[in-house]
Amino acid sequence: MTGKQKILIVDDDENIAELISLYLTKECFDTRIVYNGEDALSAFHTYQPNLILLDLMLPGIDGYQVCREVRSGSSVPIIMLSAKGEVFDKVLGLELGADDYIMKPFDPKELVARVRAVLRRYSPGRPGAAEKDNTKLVQYDGLEINLTNYSVVCDGRPVEMPPKELELLYCLAASPNQVFTREQLLDRIWGYEYVGDTRTVDVHIKRLREKLKDHPHWKLSTVWGIGYKFETK
């Protein structure tokens, strides 16, 4: 099992959980299944997964609260699973820090593809693995965004953020003062196959602004009716 990426599956439906585990195991992932929120939080600390597949409707502590607890101290990728298809539910999940949101019923092959896509985006470089010239890094006064090791430092302090937030910030900051539409950002960060709506981008921008307050020399700006830009002065 050494070297396998670990997926924590949290779902109170044993049949769905076993099916997910079967498909992921066939794709050479290591999996662990838990059926409620309390066990999910315990397994998160002991199992230390590379990604969490999290059902929202759980007995006891629900998926939203599990996500809050995990996000309070970790940026491990989270994909939410839910039979709820309302925009409100998707937005709430994303606001709490989920990296993706998959509707039930789902095609197991699509779920595996989503898992791989999220893990690809969250693949911090090993020490010495990348040459300095290949480091994807943008720097401004008081801000450093490193896409190679997925780190952000603001005013000398590290800022924890999930993979998609960091990728969105990097995309904007790497092209200062360039305006991106929501559709362009959705395509670049989530991929053309992502079936969400453009409000996903708004949610992630909101979370970035909560973590990175406006700086005298740069800020995340809204271009009304179009999209967003990383504005420098």
Coordinates of all heavy atoms in Angstrom, one line a residue, residues 28-106:
C28 N -6.2 1.7 -8.0 CA -4.9 1.7 -7.2 C -4.9 2.8 -6.1 O -3.8 3.3 -5.8 CB -3.7 1.8 -8.1 SG -3.5 0.4 -9.2
F29 N -6.1 3.2 -5.7 CA -6.1 4.1 -4.5 C -6.3 3.2 -3.2 O -6.8 2.1 -3.3 CB -7.3 5.0 -4.6 CG -7.2 6.1 -5.6 CD1 -7.8 6.0 -6.8 CD2 -6.4 7.2 -5.4 CE1 -7.7 7.0 -7.8 CE2 -6.2 8.2 -6.4 CZ -6.9 8.1 -7.6
D30 N -5.9 3.7 -2.1 CA -6.1 3.1 -0.8 C -7.4 3.8 -0.2 O -7.4 5.0 -0.3 CB -4.9 3.2 0.1 CG -5.2 2.6 1.5 OD1 -5.9 1.6 1.5 OD2 -4.6 3.1 2.4
T31 N -8.4 3.0 0.2 CA -9.6 3.7 0.7 C -9.9 3.2 2.2 O -9.5 2.1 2.6 CB -10.8 3.3 -0.2 OG1 -11.1 1.9 -0.1 CG2 -10.5 3.7 -1.6
R32 N -10.6 4.1 2.8 CA -11.2 3.8 4.1 C -12.6 4.3 4.1 O -12.9 5.4 3.7 CB -10.4 4.3 5.3 CG -11.0 4.0 6.6 CD -10.2 4.5 7.8 NE -8.9 3.8 7.8 CZ -8.0 4.0 8.8 NH1 -8.2 4.8 9.8 NH2 -6.8 3.3 8.8
I33 N -13.6 3.5 4.6 CA -15.0 3.9 4.7 C -15.4 4.2 6.1 O -15.1 3.4 7.0 CB -15.9 2.8 4.1 CG1 -15.5 2.6 2.6 CG2 -17.4 3.2 4.2 CD1 -16.2 1.4 2.0
V34 N -16.1 5.3 6.3 CA -16.8 5.5 7.6 C -18.2 6.0 7.3 O -18.5 6.4 6.2 CB -16.1 6.6 8.5 CG1 -14.7 6.1 8.9 CG2 -15.9 7.9 7.7
Y35 N -19.1 5.8 8.2 CA -20.5 6.0 7.9 C -21.2 7.1 8.7 O -22.4 7.3 8.5 CB -21.3 4.7 8.2 CG -20.7 3.5 7.5 CD1 -20.0 2.5 8.1 CD2 -21.0 3.3 6.1 CE1 -19.5 1.4 7.4 CE2 -20.5 2.3 5.4 CZ -19.7 1.3 6.0 OH -19.2 0.2 5.3
N36 N -20.5 7.9 9.4 CA -21.1 9.0 10.1 C -20.0 10.1 10.3 O -18.8 9.9 10.2 CB -21.7 8.6 11.5 CG -20.7 8.0 12.4 OD1 -19.7 8.6 12.9 ND2 -20.8 6.7 12.7
G37 N -20.5 11.3 10.7 CA -19.6 12.5 10.9 C -18.6 12.3 12.0 O -17.4 12.7 11.8
E38 N -18.9 11.7 13.1 CA -18.0 11.6 14.2 C -16.8 10.7 13.8 O -15.7 11.0 14.0 CB -18.7 11.0 15.4 CG -19.7 11.9 16.1 CD -21.1 11.8 15.5 OE1 -21.2 11.2 14.4 OE2 -22.0 12.4 16.1
D39 N -17.1 9.6 13.2 CA -16.1 8.7 12.7 C -15.2 9.3 11.6 O -14.0 9.1 11.5 CB -16.6 7.4 12.2 CG -17.2 6.5 13.3 OD1 -16.9 6.8 14.5 OD2 -17.9 5.5 13.0
A40 N -15.9 10.2 10.8 CA -15.1 10.9 9.7 C -14.0 11.8 10.3 O -12.9 11.8 9.8 CB -16.1 11.7 8.9
L41 N -14.4 12.5 11.4 CA -13.4 13.4 12.0 C -12.3 12.6 12.6 O -11.1 13.0 12.6 CB -14.1 14.3 13.0 CG -15.1 15.4 12.4 CD1 -15.8 16.1 13.5 CD2 -14.3 16.3 11.5
S42 N -12.6 11.5 13.3 CA -11.6 10.7 13.9 C -10.7 10.1 12.8 O -9.5 10.1 13.0 CB -12.3 9.6 14.7 OG -11.3 8.7 15.2
A43 N -11.3 9.6 11.7 CA -10.5 8.9 10.7 C -9.6 10.0 10.0 O -8.5 9.6 9.5 CB -11.4 8.2 9.7
F44 N -10.1 11.2 9.9 CA -9.3 12.2 9.2 C -8.0 12.4 9.9 O -6.9 12.6 9.3 CB -10.1 13.6 9.2 CG -9.3 14.7 8.9 CD1 -8.8 14.9 7.6 CD2 -9.0 15.7 9.8 CE1 -8.0 16.0 7.2 CE2 -8.2 16.8 9.5 CZ -7.7 16.9 8.2
H45 N -8.0 12.4 11.2 CA -6.7 12.6 12.0 C -5.9 11.3 12.0 O -4.6 11.4 11.9 CB -7.1 13.0 13.4 CG -7.7 14.3 13.5 ND1 -7.1 15.5 13.2 CD2 -9.0 14.7 13.8 CE1 -7.9 16.5 13.4 NE2 -9.0 16.1 13.8
T46 N -6.5 10.1 12.1 CA -5.7 8.9 12.2 C -5.3 8.4 10.8 O -4.1 7.9 10.6 CB -6.5 7.8 12.9 OG1 -7.7 7.5 12.2 CG2 -6.8 8.2 14.3
Y47 N -6.1 8.5 9.8 CA -5.9 7.9 8.5 C -5.1 8.9 7.6 O -4.3 8.5 6.7 CB -7.2 7.6 7.8 CG -7.1 7.0 6.5 CD1 -6.4 5.8 6.2 CD2 -7.9 7.5 5.4 CE1 -6.4 5.2 5.0 CE2 -7.9 6.9 4.1 CZ -7.1 5.8 3.9 OH -7.1 5.2 2.7
Q48 N -5.2 10.2 7.9 CA -4.6 11.3 7.1 C -4.7 11.1 5.6 O -3.7 10.9 4.9 CB -3.1 11.4 7.5 CG -2.9 11.7 9.0 CD -1.4 11.9 9.4 OE1 -0.5 11.4 8.7 NE2 -1.2 12.6 10.4
P49 N -5.9 11.2 5.1 CA -6.2 11.0 3.7 C -5.6 12.1 2.8 O -5.4 13.2 3.2 CB -7.7 10.9 3.6 CG -8.2 11.9 4.7 CD -7.2 11.6 5.8
N50 N -5.4 11.7 1.5 CA -5.1 12.7 0.5 C -6.3 13.5 0.0 O -6.2 14.5 -0.6 CB -4.3 12.1 -0.6 CG -3.1 11.4 -0.2 OD1 -3.0 10.2 -0.1 ND2 -2.0 12.2 0.0
L51 N -7.5 12.8 0.2 CA -8.7 13.5 -0.3 C -9.9 12.8 0.4 O -9.8 11.7 0.8 CB -8.9 13.2 -1.8 CG -10.1 13.8 -2.5 CD1 -9.8 14.3 -3.9 CD2 -11.2 12.8 -2.6
I52 N -10.9 13.6 0.7 CA -12.1 13.2 1.3 C -13.3 13.2 0.4 O -13.6 14.3 -0.2 CB -12.4 14.0 2.6 CG1 -11.2 14.0 3.6 CG2 -13.7 13.5 3.3 CD1 -11.4 14.9 4.8
L53 N -14.0 12.1 0.3 CA -15.3 12.1 -0.4 C -16.4 12.1 0.7 O -16.5 11.2 1.5 CB -15.5 10.8 -1.3 CG -14.6 10.8 -2.5 CD1 -14.7 9.4 -3.1 CD2 -15.1 11.8 -3.5
L54 N -17.1 13.2 0.7 CA -18.0 13.5 1.9 C -19.4 13.7 1.5 O -19.8 14.6 0.8 CB -17.4 14.8 2.5 CG -18.2 15.4 3.7 CD1 -18.1 14.4 4.9 CD2 -17.6 16.7 4.2
D55 N -20.3 12.7 2.0 CA -21.7 12.9 1.8 C -22.2 14.0 2.8 O -21.7 14.1 3.9 CB -22.4 11.5 2.1 CG -23.9 11.5 1.9 OD1 -24.3 12.2 0.9 OD2 -24.6 10.9 2.6
L56 N -23.2 14.7 2.3 CA -23.8 15.8 3.1 C -24.7 15.3 4.2 O -24.7 15.7 5.3 CB -24.4 16.8 2.3 CG -23.5 17.6 1.3 CD1 -24.3 18.6 0.6 CD2 -22.4 18.3 2.2
M57 N -25.6 14.4 3.8 CA -26.7 13.9 4.7 C -26.2 12.7 5.6 O -26.3 11.6 5.2 CB -27.9 13.5 3.9 CG -28.4 14.6 3.0 SD -28.8 16.2 3.9 CE -30.2 15.6 4.9
L58 N -25.5 13.0 6.7 CA -25.0 12.0 7.6 C -25.7 12.0 8.9 O -26.2 13.1 9.4 CB -23.5 12.3 7.8 CG -22.6 12.2 6.6 CD1 -21.2 12.7 7.0 CD2 -22.5 10.8 6.1
P59 N -25.8 10.9 9.6 CA -26.4 10.9 10.9 C -25.4 11.6 11.9 O -24.2 11.6 11.8 CB -26.5 9.4 11.3 CG -25.5 8.7 10.4 CD -25.4 9.5 9.1
G60 N -26.0 12.3 12.9 CA -25.2 13.0 13.9 C -24.6 14.3 13.2 O -25.4 15.1 12.8
I61 N -23.3 14.4 13.2 CA -22.7 15.5 12.6 C -22.8 15.4 11.1 O -22.4 14.4 10.5 CB -21.2 15.6 13.0 CG1 -21.0 15.7 14.5 CG2 -20.5 16.8 12.3 CD1 -19.6 15.6 14.9
D62 N -23.4 16.4 10.4 CA -23.6 16.3 9.0 C -22.4 16.7 8.2 O -21.4 17.1 8.8 CB -24.8 17.1 8.5 CG -24.7 18.6 8.7 OD1 -23.5 19.1 8.9 OD2 -25.7 19.4 8.7
G63 N -22.4 16.5 6.9 CA -21.3 16.8 6.1 C -20.8 18.2 6.1 O -19.6 18.5 6.0
Y64 N -21.8 19.1 6.2 CA -21.4 20.5 6.3 C -20.5 20.8 7.5 O -19.5 21.5 7.4 CB -22.6 21.4 6.4 CG -23.5 21.5 5.1 CD1 -24.8 21.0 5.1 CD2 -22.9 21.9 3.9 CE1 -25.6 21.1 4.0 CE2 -23.7 21.9 2.7 CZ -25.0 21.5 2.8 OH -25.8 21.5 1.7
Q65 N -20.9 20.2 8.7 CA -20.1 20.5 9.9 C -18.8 19.8 9.8 O -17.7 20.3 10.3 CB -20.9 20.0 11.1 CG -20.2 20.3 12.4 CD -20.0 21.8 12.6 OE1 -20.8 22.6 12.2 NE2 -18.9 22.2 13.3
V66 N -18.7 18.6 9.2 CA -17.5 17.9 9.0 C -16.5 18.7 8.2 O -15.3 18.9 8.5 CB -17.7 16.5 8.4 CG1 -16.3 15.9 8.0 CG2 -18.5 15.6 9.3
C67 N -17.1 19.3 7.1 CA -16.2 20.1 6.3 C -15.7 21.3 7.0 O -14.5 21.7 6.9 CB -17.1 20.6 5.1 SG -16.2 21.5 3.8
R68 N -16.5 22.0 7.8 CA -16.1 23.1 8.7 C -14.9 22.7 9.6 O -13.9 23.4 9.7 CB -17.2 23.6 9.5 CG -18.3 24.4 8.8 CD -19.2 25.1 9.8 NE -20.4 25.7 9.2 CZ -21.6 25.1 9.1 NH1 -21.7 23.9 9.6 NH2 -22.6 25.6 8.5
E69 N -15.1 21.6 10.2 CA -14.1 21.1 11.2 C -12.8 20.8 10.5 O -11.7 21.2 10.9 CB -14.6 19.9 11.9 CG -15.8 20.1 12.8 CD -15.4 20.8 14.1 OE1 -14.2 20.8 14.5 OE2 -16.3 21.5 14.7
V70 N -12.8 20.1 9.3 CA -11.6 19.8 8.6 C -11.0 21.1 8.1 O -9.7 21.3 8.2 CB -11.9 18.9 7.4 CG1 -10.7 18.7 6.5 CG2 -12.4 17.5 7.9
R71 N -11.8 22.0 7.5 CA -11.2 23.2 7.0 C -10.6 24.2 8.0 O -9.8 25.0 7.7 CB -12.3 24.0 6.2 CG -12.4 23.5 4.8 CD -11.2 23.9 3.9 NE -11.3 23.2 2.6 CZ -10.6 22.1 2.4 NH1 -9.9 21.5 3.3 NH2 -10.7 21.5 1.2
S72 N -11.0 24.0 9.3 CA -10.5 24.9 10.3 C -9.0 24.7 10.5 O -8.3 25.6 11.1 CB -11.2 24.6 11.6 OG -10.9 23.3 12.2
G73 N -8.4 23.5 10.0 CA -7.0 23.3 10.2 C -6.3 22.6 9.1 O -5.1 22.3 9.2
S74 N -7.0 22.4 8.0 CA -6.4 21.6 6.9 C -6.9 22.1 5.5 O -8.1 22.5 5.4 CB -6.7 20.1 7.1 OG -6.2 19.4 5.9
S75 N -6.1 22.0 4.5 CA -6.6 22.3 3.1 C -6.7 21.0 2.3 O -6.7 21.1 1.1 CB -5.6 23.3 2.5 OG -4.3 22.7 2.4
V76 N -6.8 19.8 3.0 CA -6.9 18.6 2.2 C -8.1 18.7 1.3 O -9.2 19.2 1.7 CB -7.1 17.4 3.2 CG1 -8.4 17.5 4.0 CG2 -7.1 16.1 2.4
P77 N -8.0 18.2 0.0 CA -9.2 18.4 -0.9 C -10.4 17.6 -0.4 O -10.3 16.5 0.1 CB -8.6 17.7 -2.2 CG -7.1 17.8 -2.1 CD -6.8 17.7 -0.6
I78 N -11.6 18.2 -0.6 CA -12.8 17.6 -0.2 C -13.8 17.7 -1.4 O -14.0 18.8 -2.0 CB -13.5 18.4 0.9 CG1 -12.6 18.3 2.2 CG2 -14.9 17.8 1.2 CD1 -13.1 19.2 3.3
I79 N -14.3 16.5 -1.8 CA -15.4 16.5 -2.8 C -16.7 16.1 -2.1 O -16.8 15.0 -1.5 CB -15.1 15.4 -3.9 CG1 -13.8 15.8 -4.7 CG2 -16.2 15.3 -4.9 CD1 -13.4 14.8 -5.7
M80 N -17.7 16.9 -2.2 CA -19.0 16.7 -1.5 C -19.9 15.8 -2.4 O -19.9 16.1 -3.7 CB -19.7 18.0 -1.2 CG -19.1 18.7 0.0 SD -20.1 20.1 0.6 CE -19.3 20.4 2.2
L81 N -20.6 14.9 -1.8 CA -21.5 14.1 -2.5 C -22.9 14.4 -2.0 O -23.1 14.4 -0.8 CB -21.2 12.6 -2.3 CG -19.8 12.1 -2.6 CD1 -19.6 10.7 -2.3 CD2 -19.5 12.3 -4.1
S82 N -23.9 14.6 -2.8 CA -25.2 14.9 -2.3 C -26.3 14.7 -3.3 O -26.1 14.8 -4.6 CB -25.3 16.4 -1.9 OG -26.6 16.7 -1.4
A83 N -27.5 14.3 -2.8 CA -28.7 14.2 -3.7 C -29.3 15.5 -3.8 O -30.3 15.7 -4.6 CB -29.6 13.2 -3.1
K84 N -28.8 16.5 -3.1 CA -29.4 17.9 -3.1 C -28.8 18.6 -4.3 O -27.6 18.8 -4.4 CB -29.1 18.7 -1.9 CG -29.8 18.1 -0.6 CD -29.6 19.0 0.6 CE -30.4 18.6 1.8 NZ -30.2 19.6 2.9
G85 N -29.7 19.0 -5.2 CA -29.2 19.7 -6.4 C -29.4 21.2 -6.5 O -29.1 21.8 -7.5
E86 N -30.0 21.7 -5.4 CA -30.3 23.2 -5.4 C -29.0 24.0 -5.4 O -28.0 23.6 -4.8 CB -31.1 23.5 -4.2 CG -32.5 22.9 -4.1 CD -33.4 23.3 -5.3 OE1 -33.3 24.4 -5.7 OE2 -34.1 22.4 -5.8
V87 N -29.0 25.1 -6.1 CA -27.9 26.0 -6.2 C -27.4 26.4 -4.8 O -26.2 26.5 -4.5 CB -28.2 27.3 -7.0 CG1 -27.1 28.3 -6.9 CG2 -28.4 26.9 -8.5
F88 N -28.4 26.6 -3.9 CA -28.0 27.0 -2.5 C -27.1 26.0 -1.8 O -26.2 26.3 -1.2 CB -29.3 27.2 -1.7 CG -29.1 27.4 -0.2 CD1 -28.6 28.6 0.3 CD2 -29.2 26.3 0.7 CE1 -28.4 28.7 1.7 CE2 -28.9 26.4 2.0 CZ -28.5 27.6 2.5
D89 N -27.5 24.7 -2.0 CA -26.7 23.7 -1.4 C -25.3 23.6 -1.9 O -24.3 23.4 -1.2 CB -27.4 22.3 -1.6 CG -28.8 22.3 -0.9 OD1 -28.8 22.5 0.3 OD2 -29.8 22.1 -1.6
K90 N -25.2 23.8 -3.3 CA -23.9 23.7 -3.9 C -23.0 24.9 -3.4 O -21.8 24.8 -3.1 CB -24.0 23.8 -5.4 CG -24.6 22.6 -6.1 CD -24.7 22.8 -7.6 CE -25.3 21.6 -8.2 NZ -25.4 21.7 -9.7
V91 N -23.6 26.1 -3.4 CA -22.9 27.3 -3.0 C -22.5 27.2 -1.5 O -21.3 27.5 -1.2 CB -23.8 28.6 -3.2 CG1 -23.1 29.8 -2.5 CG2 -24.0 28.8 -4.7
L92 N -23.4 26.7 -0.7 CA -23.0 26.5 0.7 C -21.8 25.6 0.9 O -20.9 25.8 1.6 CB -24.2 26.0 1.5 CG -24.0 25.8 3.0 CD1 -23.5 27.0 3.7 CD2 -25.2 25.2 3.7
G93 N -21.9 24.4 0.2 CA -20.8 23.5 0.2 C -19.4 24.1 -0.2 O -18.4 23.9 0.4
L94 N -19.5 24.9 -1.3 CA -18.3 25.5 -1.8 C -17.8 26.6 -0.8 O -16.6 26.8 -0.6 CB -18.5 26.1 -3.2 CG -18.8 25.1 -4.3 CD1 -19.3 25.8 -5.5 CD2 -17.5 24.3 -4.6
E95 N -18.7 27.4 -0.2 CA -18.3 28.4 0.7 C -17.7 27.8 1.9 O -16.8 28.4 2.6 CB -19.6 29.2 1.2 CG -20.1 30.2 0.1 CD -21.2 31.0 0.6 OE1 -21.9 30.6 1.5 OE2 -21.4 32.2 0.1
L96 N -18.0 26.6 2.3 CA -17.4 26.0 3.5 C -16.1 25.4 3.2 O -15.3 25.0 4.1 CB -18.3 24.9 4.0 CG -19.7 25.3 4.6 CD1 -20.5 24.1 5.0 CD2 -19.4 26.2 5.9
G97 N -15.7 25.4 1.9 CA -14.4 24.9 1.5 C -14.2 23.7 0.7 O -13.1 23.2 0.5
A98 N -15.4 23.2 0.2 CA -15.3 22.0 -0.7 C -14.6 22.4 -2.0 O -14.7 23.5 -2.5 CB -16.7 21.5 -1.0
D99 N -13.9 21.4 -2.6 CA -13.2 21.7 -3.9 C -14.1 21.3 -5.1 O -13.8 21.7 -6.2 CB -11.9 20.9 -3.9 CG -11.0 21.4 -2.9 OD1 -10.3 22.4 -3.1 OD2 -10.9 20.8 -1.8
D100 N -15.1 20.4 -4.9 CA -15.9 20.0 -5.9 C -17.2 19.5 -5.3 O -17.3 19.2 -4.1 CB -15.3 18.9 -6.8 CG -15.8 18.8 -8.2 OD1 -16.9 19.4 -8.5 OD2 -15.2 18.2 -9.1
Y101 N -18.3 19.3 -6.1 CA -19.6 18.9 -5.6 C -20.2 18.0 -6.7 O -20.4 18.4 -7.8 CB -20.4 20.2 -5.5 CG -21.8 20.0 -4.8 CD1 -21.9 20.5 -3.4 CD2 -22.8 19.4 -5.4 CE1 -23.1 20.4 -2.8 CE2 -24.1 19.3 -4.7 CZ -24.2 19.7 -3.4 OH -25.4 19.6 -2.8
I102 N -20.5 16.8 -6.3 CA -21.0 15.8 -7.3 C -22.4 15.4 -6.8 O -22.6 15.0 -5.7 CB -20.1 14.5 -7.3 CG1 -18.7 15.0 -7.8 CG2 -20.7 13.5 -8.3 CD1 -17.7 13.8 -7.9
M103 N -23.3 15.4 -7.8 CA -24.7 15.0 -7.5 C -24.9 13.5 -7.6 O -24.3 12.8 -8.4 CB -25.6 15.7 -8.6 CG -25.9 17.1 -8.4 SD -27.0 17.4 -7.0 CE -28.4 16.5 -7.6
K104 N -25.7 13.0 -6.7 CA -26.2 11.6 -6.7 C -27.5 11.6 -7.5 O -28.3 12.5 -7.4 CB -26.5 11.1 -5.3 CG -25.2 11.0 -4.4 CD -25.7 10.4 -3.1 CE -24.5 10.2 -2.1 NZ -24.9 9.7 -0.8
P105 N -27.7 10.5 -8.3 CA -26.8 9.4 -8.6 C -25.7 9.9 -9.5 O -25.9 10.8 -10.3 CB -27.7 8.4 -9.2 CG -28.8 9.1 -9.8 CD -29.0 10.3 -9.0
F106 N -24.5 9.3 -9.4 CA -23.4 9.6 -10.3 C -22.8 8.4 -11.0 O -23.0 7.3 -10.5 CB -22.3 10.4 -9.5 CG -21.9 9.6 -8.2 CD1 -21.1 8.6 -8.3 CD2 -22.4 10.0 -7.0 CE1 -20.7 7.9 -7.1 CE2 -22.1 9.3 -5.8 CZ -21.2 8.3 -5.9

